[in-house]
Amino acid sequence: MTPMLTVEDLAISFATRTGRFEAVRGVSFTLGRERLGIVGESGSGKSLTGRAIMGLTPPSADVTARRLAFDGIDLLTAPPAQRRALRGARLSMVLQDPKYSLDPVMSIGRQIVETLRTHERVSRREARERALDMLAAVQIENPARVFDLYPHEVSGGMGQRAMIAMMLIANPELLIADEPTSALDVTVQLEVLGILDRLVTDRGMGLIFISHDLRLVSSFCDRVLVMYAGRVVEEIAAAELAHARHPYTRGLLACVPVPGHDRHPLPVLDRRPEWRL
Amino acid sequence: MSEAGIGSGQGTRAWLLSEYPASRMQARLGRAYATWLRFAANRLAVVGLAILIALVLVATFAGVLAPHSPYAGDLAGARLLPPLSPGHLLGTDDQGRDILSRLIYGSRLTLAVVLMVAVLTAPVGLLVGTVAGYAGGIIDTALMRVTDIFLAFPKLVLALALVAALGPGIENAVIAIAITSWPPYARMARAETLAVRHADYIDAIRLMGASPLRIVLRHVMPMCLSSLIVRVTLDMAGIILIAAGLGFLGLGAQPPAPEWGAMIASGRRFILDQWWVATMPGMAILIVSLGFNLVGDGLRDALDPREAER
Amino acid sequence: MTDAVPALSLAGVNVAYDGYRALADVSLNVAAGEAFGLVGESGSGKSTLLRAIAGLAPVTAGTLRVEGETLTGQRRGRAFHARVQMVFQDPYGSLHPRHTIDRQLLEPLAIHGVDATSPRILRALDEVGLGAGFRFRYPHQLSGGQRQRVAIARALILEPAILLLDEPTSALDASVQAEVLNLLEQVRAERGLTYVLVSHDLGVVTHMCDRLAVMHGGRIVEELPADDLVAGRIGTDYTRKLMVASAGFRRGSDGHGHADE
């Protein structure tokens, strides 16, 4: 099977007053129709990696890679128009907080319809039908009502479902979800993950799930990349997580308090300088 | 020698930019230096600062710099001489007075107006705005309605009315401008106060048992200060223009004071034949206003708290 | 419970913001030296409860007592501030952005007229694991974990008996969270502090607390020892649902279901 996405030696850096800051260094992986988790703490470069694939890095970022290809298309050399056409239609991204990623002055339904009509030639009526179907697919109980609501009129969980509906309406082949549930309450979080899980399975999408929560990611994904200081320190099958080799991965797993595991004090990470190398 | 100079220069710089300052003084100086670096990165702002420094120097050393008396003219031999005449670089006016000398002495008046207005308005606006914003309720309503009343009058018209009532003169012009200038500062300070009032760090300090006065003075005001400084600086250009406008209308500085606006007014009679009489003070006003605007813009970038967060 | 005076006692407390009832008839006792947890989802009123104790939320009915003394209205006396302090959730918002760490720690001492400030500031920094080198830095020069340590130092510098902790680690990375939780436990052990810890994370609460209350919709749904929660001796469906949800995602369950799916 040829991979859908190939990332080879991806590097992202910023010019700062004190010199060049290398936020991502030498990241390589491939992705088929599977779920890949990228885990790391703040500043690990996990979000930038996702954004670089989408072509959404800030203008000050300098992105280089030996190869960054989606379905044979070299993303770094592709003209902006082609990248725009890819975004939304074949590549899609769900961000952490729906409050900031939905347009506040446009109703939810219209945003979904607009997204669909940007990428596909469909009639207004058909677009509306499909948007309603999509809202139903993300388990919104009364799609017709939510269709006309504005983002501030819905709860966080509802907003995130609407966001997912919008991102999946054009049937992308690859979905990048950057902390899609971190702003949500635990019970809502599970519902949203359940929806995401089923849609990815049913539609055979590839998924990159970016999160700070190693346990959550490993319960959701097939494979996990653990990032630290801009590098991938370990790549591991989610089922094998208990046998992680890298001390950072193990430390990250151990330091989270879990009900029923009495450890006082909690083990803390001893960050070693050589992990950065 | 030069190497040692560079070496110690780098030492000072490192000391100022140290991530681990060892004293209150070092921390404060380091922060000031970082602000200066952001300010100096804006070339135009530095040009503006140079203009303002030049203004202060010229005003301070007017007696040394001016080649002639600003008041006594040579009515017989030197009326309305064009620029670049021998002895009169910028020419003379209708009473034979050296325009350059008058501009040099006039800078004192301009600087005095600007400083007095700033000193009178900024603290009043800051105090009214922060107290209204922090106290809320009836105090807020009362203070803001008063502010609105002053805000409702057109600035120049109210200044004109006041000067007409108090009598013309530079002091009355300053009072008139000050009374009409503080309301926007109060509004701005109130808006900033409302933004920080419910911040966790204000709640935290309330939980320490701090009195409302202490919170306003020591915790809220510093947050409003930088935008106030920027706003006042940017407003200075307009204040110079209003002062000049009052002078032009004969309601500000009185003859023979070399006030720039009044100079334009007296020069407008000959604007077609002897253009320089009105143009030279106009240029002076333009350059100084520009200086204040450039500095204000630079300060906005340098003092922006979001910038400082990084 | 015990005949000793509880450190904190709430009876029928109500809080309303513009007609919205954020807390409804909350009654609660926290014993001296106890670590008490408040768990719930957003909007459950758990943070409002802390703010009501601190005098930062409008209490419309009910009585609050701290060490037997009744608090009235939103005003709190100087003695209260010396006994009860709070650590906020967002370490980026709880420190004044324009004051050095030194000044943040000096302020409570100055308000309470404490002399010999310098050694106390140094001791406070030392206690939370920050050296004297941090003293004259500004908050923007610190990481999130370091800021939260400063916030803890500030709360401790007046030597209070009760510490209110409002999601003290939820804005931090997991590894930093572990460090801050260890610090909080260590400080409590050394000083015999009473903690009221608000968190959405059952792991954190069961790790830190002896007893906890589950809140939902402004009410306390259930109050139980942390050990019972861990062992599954749970009285209400809502608590059970929270417990299941926090165990993580399971393939095949769509989140609506329970553990038995």
Side-chain angles (χ1 to χ4, degrees), chain C residues 16-17 24 31 41 55-56 58 60 83 113 132 136 142 151 153 175 177 185 193-194 200 206 230 241 248 252 259:
Chain C
Y17 291 103
E41 299 188 292
L56 299 172
T60 48
R83 261 184 303 176
F136 297 105
L142 269 53
S175 60
Q177 160 169 292
E185 275 204 305
L193 294 170
T194 307
H200 68 278
T206 51
V230 171
K241 188 175 159 200

Side-chain angles (χ1 to χ4, degrees), chain A residues 35 41-42 139 185-187 190-191 193-194 197-198 219-220 255-257 259-260 263-269 271, chain C residues 41-42 173-179 181-182 185 202-204 206-207 230 241-243 245 248-249 251 254-256:
Chain A
R35 306 139 201 259
E41 297 188 297
S42 50
Q139 293 182 6
D185 280 324
V186 274
T187 48
L190 284 200
E191 289 174 23
L193 284 180
D197 179 62
R198 226 185 9 250
S219 70
F220 192 76
C255 69
V256 181
R263 293 165 302 162
H264 299 270
L266 286 166
V268 295
L269 265 179
R271 291 186 174 72
Chain C
E41 299 188 292
S42 51
D173 276 327
S175 60
V176 182
Q177 160 169 292
E179 292 168 16
L181 290 181
N182 286 345
E185 275 204 305
L202 284 176
V204 170
T206 51
H207 176 78
V230 171
K241 188 175 159 200
L242 267 189
M243 195 65 188
F249 178 76
R251 182 77 34 94
D254 58 3
H256 286 303

Side-chain angles (χ1 to χ4, degrees), chain B residues 187-206:
Chain B
R187 283 233 150 249
M188 197 184 64
R190 178 175 173 270
E192 298 258 326
T193 306
L194 289 181
V196 301
R197 187 176 134 186
H198 291 295
D200 279 351
Y201 58 86
I202 298 293
D203 278 345
I205 209 69
R206 273 170 74 189

Side-chain angles (χ1 to χ4, degrees), chain C residues 88-159:
Chain C
F88 294 84
Q89 170 176 11
D90 178 12
Y92 292 85
S94 65
L95 300 180
H96 198 292
R98 301 203 166 228
H99 290 170
T100 57
I101 304 314
D102 177 62
R103 191 137 172 232
Q104 322 255 7
L105 297 179
L106 182 65
E107 196 66 6
L109 297 177
I111 291 167
H112 288 261
V114 177
D115 305 328
T117 54
S118 219
R120 269 185 90 153
I121 290 172
L122 288 174
R123 188 147 34 91
L125 282 175
D126 191 49
E127 191 173 10
V128 295
L130 297 173
F134 285 90
R135 183 171 172 190
F136 297 105
R137 302 183 85 182
Y138 285 93
H140 71 264
Q141 295 171 307
L142 269 53
S143 70
Q146 288 166 343
R147 287 178 198 223
Q148 204 59 316
R149 284 171 190 266
V150 172
I152 292 169
R154 180 180 58 184
L156 291 177
I157 204 161
L158 290 173
E159 301 184 347

Side-chain angles (χ1 to χ4, degrees), chain A residues 10 21 37 55 73 75 79 94 104 133 142 144-145 164-165 193 204 209 224 230 246 248 250 257 274:
Chain A
L10 175 71
F21 171 64
I73 304 162
L75 293 174
V94 178
D133 285 350
N142 192 344
R145 192 177 73 85
I164 292 173
L193 284 180
F209 189 96
V224 181
H246 197 279
Y248 178 68
R250 294 161 66 142
E274 64 260 28

Side-chain angles (χ1 to χ4, degrees), chain C residues 7-233:
Chain C
L8 206 60
S9 165
L10 282 74
V13 170
N14 282 270
V15 168
Y17 291 103
D18 301 326
Y20 170 71
R21 214 162 169 217
L23 273 191
D25 297 321
V26 170
S27 300
L28 194 67
N29 281 309
V30 179
E34 188 182 20
F36 190 85
L38 287 169
V39 189
E41 299 188 292
S42 51
S44 63
K46 58 189 192 304
S47 290
T48 308
L49 182 50
L50 275 203
R51 300 181 72 86
I53 298 169
L56 299 172
V59 176
T60 48
T63 48
L64 290 121
R65 284 199 194 84
V66 170
E67 292 172 356
E69 245 171 76
T70 306
L71 305 171
T72 44
Q74 267 186 265
R75 285 212 71 81
R76 299 286 183 266
R78 184 155 288 193
F80 173 85
H81 298 298
R83 261 184 303 176
V84 183
Q85 279 299 325
M86 183 157 166
V87 175
F88 294 84
Q89 170 176 11
D90 178 12
Y92 292 85
S94 65
L95 300 180
H96 198 292
R98 301 203 166 228
H99 290 170
T100 57
I101 304 314
D102 177 62
R103 191 137 172 232
Q104 322 255 7
L105 297 179
L106 182 65
E107 196 66 6
L109 297 177
I111 291 167
H112 288 261
V114 177
D115 305 328
T117 54
S118 219
R120 269 185 90 153
I121 290 172
L122 288 174
R123 188 147 34 91
L125 282 175
D126 191 49
E127 191 173 10
V128 295
L130 297 173
F134 285 90
R135 183 171 172 190
F136 297 105
R137 302 183 85 182
Y138 285 93
H140 71 264
Q141 295 171 307
L142 269 53
S143 70
Q146 288 166 343
R147 287 178 198 223
Q148 204 59 316
R149 284 171 190 266
V150 172
I152 292 169
R154 180 180 58 184
L156 291 177
I157 204 161
L158 290 173
E159 301 184 347
I162 302 171
L163 211 52
L164 309 175
L165 304 159
D166 186 3
E167 303 259 15
T169 59
S170 66
L172 305 175
D173 276 327
S175 60
V176 182
Q177 160 169 292
E179 292 168 16
V180 171
L181 290 181
N182 286 345
L183 170 68
L184 286 171
E185 275 204 305
Q186 177 201 333
V187 170
R188 189 166 92 90
E190 281 166 11
R191 299 190 173 203
L193 294 170
T194 307
Y195 278 177
V196 181
L197 172 75
V198 162
S199 179
H200 68 278
D201 186 333
L202 284 176
V204 170
V205 170
T206 51
H207 176 78
M208 296 289 291
C209 300
D210 318 319
R211 275 194 319 134
L212 58 100
V214 181
M215 295 191 67
H216 184 57
R219 290 172 193 279
I220 290 184
V221 176
E222 186 172 4
E223 212 182 306
L224 72 170
D227 291 342
D228 282 6
L229 185 76
V230 171
R233 291 188 290 273

